[in-house]
């Protein structure tokens, strides 16, 4: 799933290409695509695209009177639509501009979970769906802010980092990379981190996000998860780039925790007896 850096760089890319174009039409290509009915997309017809923003893993396509909120979920993409075919593969929604260009939201795979919300421009995102309950953006936190969050949660840091209600924008890949960068066990309890450890975690989070953002900004389009650079994510069996020990994995149904035992757990090999990929 694209995370904060991928979404942020993509927002900047779309704003640079489509900013200033006038919306002529919005078309829902799937009946599940549009999640709201008021305000109507039509109210923005004739308005210029003022910008493209981001909150957590959501894109905000900003017109004068409404914002289109787009969540790509796992396999969603929002791209320039050169063909503009009647029934594009995986097509969910299309924004057509008065110069004839268009943006197309597609979603690969069977699970149709990506979608579009239309909200009044300038809405307070803390009190507007789909943002209600979303934690602060991971790149917006200072050290004290992160420490306050850690102190409130007696849970594994890997799970905390990925929980969008606690911290927005970090997913499975960044959680693996941040724990490795911080030289902390992914299973370390957030509440029990020392001041030195929480500072390492905060520094690692900032560095991992900044490096991913720099990589994404250098691309013409959003990377696929396999292309994204990293030290441990999806690198089970490879040597750890820091120490040369083998990168290990704890498998779950929907994600994998990758880590280096030498760097992160004092050599202890992690196993999760509470969950098994065969049972869950
Ligand atoms: Zn290592």
């Amino acid at each position: 799933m694209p995370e904060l850096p991928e979404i942020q760089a993509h927002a900047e890319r779309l704003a640079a290409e489509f900013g200033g174009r006038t919306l002529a039409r919005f078309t829902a290509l799937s009946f599940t695509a549009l999640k709201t009915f008021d305000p109507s997309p039509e109210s923005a017809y004739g308005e210029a695209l003022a910008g493209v923003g981001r909150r957590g893993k959501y894109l905000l396509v900003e017109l004068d009177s409404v914002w289109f909120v787009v969540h790509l979920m796992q396999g969603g993409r929002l791209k320039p639509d050169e063909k503009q075919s009647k029934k594009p593969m995986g097509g969910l929604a299309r924004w057509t501009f008065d110069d004839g260009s268009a943006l197309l939201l597609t979603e690969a795979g069977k699970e149709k979970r990506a979608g579009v919300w239309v909200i009044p421009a300038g809405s307070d995102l803390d009190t507007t769906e789909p943002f209600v309950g979303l934690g602060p953006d991971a790149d917006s936190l200072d050290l004290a802010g992160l420490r306050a969050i850690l102190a409130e949660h007696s849970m594994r840091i890997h799970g905390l980092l990925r929980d969008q209600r606690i911290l927005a924008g970090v997913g499975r890949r960044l959680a693996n990379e941040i724990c490795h960068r911080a030289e902390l066990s992914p299973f370390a309890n957030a509440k029990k981190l020392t001041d030195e450890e929480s500072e390492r975690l905060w520094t690692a989070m900032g560095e991992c996000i900044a490096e991913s953002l720099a990589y994404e900004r250098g691309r013409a389009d959003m990377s696929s998860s396999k292309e994204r650079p990293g030290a441990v994510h999806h690198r089970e069996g490879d040597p750890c780039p820091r120490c040369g020990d083998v990168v290990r994995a704890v498998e779950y149904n929907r994600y994998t925790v990758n880590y280096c035992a030498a760097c992160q757990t004092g050599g202890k090999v992690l196993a999760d007896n509470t969950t098994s990929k065969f049972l869950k």
Side-chain angles (χ1 to χ4, degrees):
M1 183 182 290
E3 300 170 67
L4 187 161
E6 290 80 47
I7 300 289
Q8 177 64 36
H10 199 56
E12 293 169 8
R13 217 177 271 136
L14 292 174
E17 186 170 352
F18 284 85
R21 297 189 193 182
T22 301
L23 185 68
R25 197 164 59 253
F26 171 84
T27 314
L29 301 166
S30 150
F31 71 94
T32 62
L34 189 60
K35 311 289 187 189
T36 52
F37 59 91
D38 184 37
S40 75
E42 289 81 18
S43 56
Y45 290 3
E47 295 179 359
L49 198 154
V52 182
R54 179 196 58 79
R55 169 81 172 95
K57 298 177 186 173
Y58 294 86
L59 286 162
L60 287 154
V61 179
E62 300 171 357
L63 283 299
D64 288 339
S65 66
V66 303
W67 291 345
F68 291 88
V69 179
V70 180
H71 199 319
L72 301 176
M73 295 303 295
Q74 186 69 26
R77 290 293 181 266
L78 182 62
K79 284 184 164 187
D81 187 9
E82 266 111 40
K83 289 186 191 158
Q84 297 187 32
S85 59
K86 272 221 166 89
K87 285 187 177 172
M89 175 101 76
L92 292 181
R94 175 183 283 135
W95 292 255
T96 311
F97 299 93
D98 71 350
D99 63 357
S101 64
L103 271 172
L104 179 67
L105 175 65
T106 59
E107 187 174 24
K110 282 180 196 152
E111 257 185 301
K112 290 287 176 262
R113 296 173 66 202
V116 180
W117 292 254
V118 185
I119 63 174
S123 291
D124 174 6
L125 298 186
D126 290 336
T127 58
T128 306
E129 291 295 354
F131 302 105
V132 176
L134 203 61
D137 269 293
D139 63 344
S140 72
L141 282 178
D142 58 15
L143 176 56
L146 179 63
R147 279 180 173 155
I149 287 172
L150 294 169
E152 285 170 12
H153 294 90
S154 181
M155 63 187 287
R156 290 170 175 173
I157 55 173
H158 195 277
L160 179 143
L161 290 168
R162 285 184 296 108
D163 189 333
Q164 301 303 297
R165 294 162 300 178
I166 299 175
L167 198 67
V170 172
R172 305 162 203 179
R173 184 185 71 90
L174 276 173
N176 281 332
E177 296 298 331
I178 290 167
C179 291
H180 178 260
R181 180 71 60 100
E183 297 179 61
L184 289 171
S185 168
F187 288 2
N189 188 303
K191 206 171 182 172
K192 292 179 181 161
L193 293 189
T194 65
D195 281 354
E196 196 264 326
E197 288 170 335
S198 59
E199 184 164 3
R200 281 207 321 258
L201 186 66
W202 178 75
T203 303
M205 188 164 76
E207 287 177 2
C208 289
I209 290 173
E211 286 169 21
S212 296
L213 188 54
Y215 170 76
E216 284 297 316
R217 280 175 172 157
R219 296 177 52 97
D221 192 16
M222 191 184 285
S223 63
S224 68
S225 59
K226 284 193 176 65
E227 296 171 313
R228 289 166 205 154
V232 291
H233 184 67
H234 282 173
R235 283 171 169 74
E236 183 181 5
D238 288 357
C240 165
R242 189 194 287 121
C243 76
D245 194 9
V246 65
V247 173
R248 297 172 196 275
V250 186
E251 301 275 356
Y252 292 89
N253 195 21
R254 297 184 68 88
Y255 64 98
T256 303
V257 174
N258 289 116
Y259 70 103
C260 167
C263 287
Q264 294 175 255
T265 62
K268 183 174 179 279
V269 175
L270 299 176
D272 194 323
N273 299 324
T274 61
T275 326
S276 159
K277 65 175 170 176
F278 301 110
L279 295 174
K280 203 177 171 186

